[in-house]
Amino acid sequence: MMRVKSIIILLAVIFPFMALADSNREQSVGLVLSGGGAKGIAHIGVIKALEENNIPIDYIAGTSMGAIVGGLYAAGYTPDEMMELIKSPGFANWSTGKIDPNLTYYFAKNTPTPEFVSINLGDKKEPNSLLPQGFINPLPMNFAFMELFAGHTAQCDGDFDNLFVPFRCVASDVTHKRKIVCRDGDLGDAIRASMTFPVVFYPIKMNGVWVYDGGIYDNFPVDVMRSDFAPSIIIGVNVSSEEAVNTNDIIDQLESMIMQGKITPISEDEGIYIDLDLDQFGLLDFPKAQDIYSIGYRKAIDMMDTISHRVTARVSSQSVDLKRAVFKSKTPHIVFDSVNVKGGTPDENDYIQHVFMSQADTFNINQAKDAYYSIITPGKLKNLVPKAIYNNQNGLFTLDMEASVKDNYRLAFGGYISSSTNSMLFLSGGYNTLSFNSVDMNLNAWIGQSYMAGELNTRMYLRTSFPSYFKLQAIVSRYKFYESESLFYEDNLPTFISNTEAYARLSYSVGVGRRGMFEIGAGYGYLQDNYYQSNVIDFSAGERDKSYYNLGQAFARYEYNSLNDKVYPTEGAYYRLNAMGIMGDYNYRPHDGINHTSDDIYWGQMEFNAENYFSLTRKFKIGTELNLLASTKKLMHNYYASIVQAPAFSPTASSYNAFNPAFRANSYATLGLKPIWRISSTFQLRGEFHTFMPFRKINENPLDFSPYYGKWFADPEFIGEVSAVFRLPFASLSVYGNYMSYPARNWGFGLSFGLFFMAPKFIN
């Protein structure tokens, strides 16, 4: 540590002499960067070319993406560091509103449901709307801007002239129809305001006024450069387009309608105008950062003779690097010693403050990030805006936060529409609070031809030193299996087999790290199965046989989940270890009423599931899945009673469509591979190929329908599915084809839209 300080002191001593060598120049150079969304990444390439050729940048001004690039450069970022940031997963997440799964707390996440849209109702001050204020979730971006720029705001004391390079950016006050030139204040707020493209990003307030993208009134702030800095020569870089809009891209259409006025090139007398042709890229094409950067770099290199001729001043790269190193050495580390929260009720504000301050008397930016994401994970906040306020007296920061809490009452709907009998609608109503003893209560309903269910799910969070809650579940469900498939609206098919469950259970859960949870609990359930004693059915035969179960259970389970998507993951891992003991009574009633039997039953079972995804290239991923189930469960009095209650292996939504006894067993192992071709962020091709190995297959004696176990590990089966998946923000559209090894030539094809999640089963 002493050695690092010595080097910094030495640099600070040497720097004035090197600066003097470079100061013998009369020219000053101002760099102006236009807006243009992801196309603005080309600005970084231009800056890289200028630095390599010793062209000085004395002042910098930008709008929108030009403000981000200009602000980062003014804060001491090198072009390489800017590109590293923009290509990082963190930037990809907050620029698209995605909450990084590695930062969320699995313990606090809600159980997945087929929900598409939710509406919050209540007495909060802010009006509710079905439409968001921005397409992109602002929560990840809020913290990112504070993390990136709070230290530099403190360093320059809120005066942008005191940055590594004096800086200006432009935002738009649409209320008063004017532009705002940001010269001082919070650097992160200024840049955030300048790039807040309407409809796409959530706006912020500056001095009590909602502000938006500076490009609405000034997308190329040459006049700001003239008036504020009056450099000898201006280099202006334009990445925006005046060509006809792409009618297939709604963002492109919005850009054309919202951004007013034409870009006026810089005159030859005033400076150098660099116009970049980037029409092939869209506003949000950040994944193409390297290609866009290269275009900017090559264009500047191609024009370097002209630039070098006009700009006679030079500054050595060593001098720039030294100045930057000295500047960075003086940037304070972000450490907080106090928290202030406003915007919610007193209880809500106190709770949010407690989450941050419960760690220690002081906490750093990484600890603040942990607390921030633990607060937003449950989804109870519309917005949470943090701001770091520097205290010159002690060198520490105060964390000021403005919270916008969702209303307590909530309505939601969704579903799953398929070309099979699996289609269902989903409705939900909930009551959720945010406090030291938060309560989440949800009433869910699934309504479909094959499946109907109702669920009451209640969580009560406890004020303990570690995150924990009690959960009460009460569920009634019915699942029907048919001999053949039909669409949702056809309700005249005869039922082959039906399962009915009604149960309640109470559990206690604790969070284990960021991605894990441990749960113990007990429950009681009533289960009923109706079935025919043959898969060749004479429906004129009358009633089906029935099996009844009254069961108690005790269980303990551990789960770890870092998957990046709840339906179609491409990254992360999922592990689940579940131990369960079950006891109760079993009653069998045949359709003819003869030979009614009953028995006491009990068994134990252990289940392990593991799912992992690996990147082969940027576009190609591979997933693996392993399932092990070991049970002491005995066979029932007849084959169908045994096979209906045996756990089923159904790795895809389409595999639930029909009752397939070959993929049911009391104990089994499976191994699967999932190749994925991620063509774009919204479209992918997926394969799932699984082997299913029952420890001992449940067979049927054709003479008396009695069950018996087959040989050990003698009856493997195979299931495979290939699908094309188009992902929307709220659901997915899938076209699929699948194959099962039993019965022979069992091919299936279909189309589905939505999210396929059913209510939890009693034995799972």
Side-chain angles (χ1 to χ4, degrees), residues 437-550:
N437 296 109
S438 299
V439 174
D440 292 350
M441 183 179 297
N442 293 284
L443 186 62
N444 303 323
W446 291 257
I447 305 167
Q449 177 185 4
S450 297
Y451 183 71
M452 298 188 72
E455 177 189 24
L456 174 64
N457 190 323
T458 302
R459 291 182 183 181
M460 177 174 287
Y461 291 83
L462 306 177
R463 188 172 182 177
T464 54
S465 58
F466 48 86
S468 65
Y469 60 71
F470 280 110
K471 180 169 72 173
L472 175 65
Q473 270 184 317
I475 293 176
V476 178
S477 66
R478 183 215 64 196
Y479 204 121
K480 293 181 178 180
F481 296 94
Y482 303 95
E483 267 207 307
S484 60
E485 291 293 299
S486 70
L487 295 178
F488 174 66
Y489 52 81
E490 296 184 32
D491 199 27
N492 57 355
L493 289 177
T495 305
F496 174 38
I497 292 173
S498 66
N499 301 117
T500 301
E501 293 189 355
Y503 72 87
R505 61 184 170 205
L506 179 67
S507 63
Y508 175 69
S509 300
V510 297
V512 181
R514 190 191 293 275
R515 308 304 302 159
M517 64 175 292
F518 177 75
E519 181 180 19
I520 57 172
Y524 168 79
Y526 169 80
L527 286 64
Q528 178 178 322
D529 300 327
N530 298 348
Y531 48 87
Y532 291 94
Q533 282 290 353
S534 173
N535 58 6
V536 180
I537 303 168
D538 177 9
F539 292 104
S540 64
E543 291 190 17
R544 294 166 292 171
D545 292 2
K546 295 179 173 62
S547 295
Y548 305 90
Y549 304 84
N550 291 283

Side-chain angles (χ1 to χ4, degrees), residues 611 613 621-625 672-676 686-688 690:
E611 195 173 348
Y613 291 86
K621 320 286 182 179
I622 189 74
T624 61
E625 183 175 336
L673 287 176
K674 302 180 181 181
I676 303 162
R686 298 179 68 96
E688 294 207 26
H690 302 267

Side-chain angles (χ1 to χ4, degrees), residues 232-396:
S232 308
I233 190 167
I234 296 174
I235 300 174
V237 186
N238 176 34
V239 299
S240 63
S241 173
E242 297 179 17
E243 299 296 324
V245 300
N246 178 3
T247 56
N248 295 320
D249 188 336
I250 188 171
I251 302 300
D252 196 36
Q253 296 177 54
L254 287 170
E255 181 184 16
S256 179
M257 289 186 291
I258 292 170
M259 299 306 169
Q260 299 178 10
K262 293 186 177 182
I263 296 291
T264 303
I266 299 169
S267 67
E268 263 190 47
D269 293 341
E270 193 170 23
I272 301 160
Y273 179 65
I274 302 175
D275 188 26
L276 296 171
D277 181 6
L278 296 161
D279 291 344
Q280 70 269 39
F281 300 104
L283 192 74
L284 301 178
D285 268 343
F286 292 103
K288 300 175 182 177
Q290 190 61 45
D291 294 337
I292 299 170
Y293 165 88
S294 297
I295 291 173
Y297 178 80
R298 288 195 302 268
K299 180 71 170 181
I301 292 295
D302 290 344
M303 295 183 63
M304 196 52 63
D305 286 344
T306 301
I307 296 171
S308 299
H309 177 72
R310 295 293 310 279
V311 180
T312 57
R314 295 290 182 270
V315 58
S316 68
S317 58
Q318 294 88 348
S319 178
V320 173
D321 290 342
L322 181 57
K323 178 184 175 185
R324 185 181 282 121
V326 171
F327 178 83
K328 287 183 174 183
S329 71
K330 297 177 181 178
T331 306
H333 294 290
I334 304 175
V335 178
F336 301 98
D337 67 346
S338 59
V339 178
N340 299 319
V341 186
K342 63 180 182 179
T345 66
D347 284 346
E348 291 167 346
N349 294 341
D350 288 347
Y351 172 69
I352 294 172
Q353 183 183 48
H354 169 77
V355 172
F356 284 86
M357 290 301 299
S358 62
Q359 306 177 71
D361 292 336
T362 62
F363 55 96
N364 61 32
I365 190 69
N366 290 324
Q367 292 169 313
K369 184 185 289 186
D370 283 345
Y372 182 85
Y373 277 89
S374 73
I375 285 289
I376 69 174
T377 294
K380 298 180 181 181
L381 291 165
K382 296 178 188 175
N383 206 0
L384 182 63
V385 182
K387 184 174 291 189
I389 309 299
Y390 188 60
N391 185 338
N392 286 305
Q393 301 300 316
N394 60 12
L396 299 175

